[in-house]
Amino acid sequence: MINRVKEKLETALEDWRLMEISSEDEAEECAERFERHFYEFIDELKVWFQHLEQPPSSIEEAENLIEIKELMERLPTPLDLNFLTELELIIDGEDQVRYD
């Protein structure tokens, strides 16, 4: 199941790379595609998290999971806060923050 999470992350990261090199005309489309794929990644992470035998009850516990560490290592630094915010919402059982 974590493999699906990683696949979704790779798709979002490819969009991130495209955003960095996109022209001004392409920027909005690239940003929208990235946002959609980032939240698909978060949705898949939530499914994985809900299937854990003993899900972490705090952000600190979650950050210590090997799988979460691996995901965070792949994220560009500007996405760290977004990811941690979404992870905390998953832990708390709340809906995601969507920036539309």
Side-chain angles (χ1 to χ4, degrees), residues 49-60:
F49 187 88
Q50 291 170 338
H51 284 90
L52 290 176
E53 203 168 294
Q54 290 185 311
S57 59
S58 71
I59 193 73
E60 292 81 13

Side-chain angles (χ1 to χ4, degrees), residues 3 18 23 30 36 42 68 72:
N3 288 335
L18 290 173
S23 68
C30 288
R36 182 177 69 248
I42 295 298
I68 298 298
M72 290 188 70

Side-chain angles (χ1 to χ4, degrees), residues 31-86:
E32 288 173 0
R33 188 171 49 240
F34 165 74
E35 181 180 26
R36 182 177 69 248
H37 288 140
F38 179 79
Y39 284 112
E40 286 176 6
F41 156 64
I42 295 298
D43 290 342
E44 198 64 43
L45 179 66
K46 184 175 185 177
V47 170
W48 172 79
F49 187 88
Q50 291 170 338
H51 284 90
L52 290 176
E53 203 168 294
Q54 290 185 311
S57 59
S58 71
I59 193 73
E60 292 81 13
E61 287 179 21
E63 287 180 294
N64 286 323
L65 292 175
I66 292 169
E67 296 88 348
I68 298 298
K69 286 180 182 182
E70 289 175 358
L71 296 174
M72 290 188 70
E73 287 173 3
R74 301 278 303 130
L75 287 172
T77 302
L79 296 177
D80 286 350
L81 181 58
N82 295 68
F83 177 76
L84 291 173
T85 299
E86 295 296 340

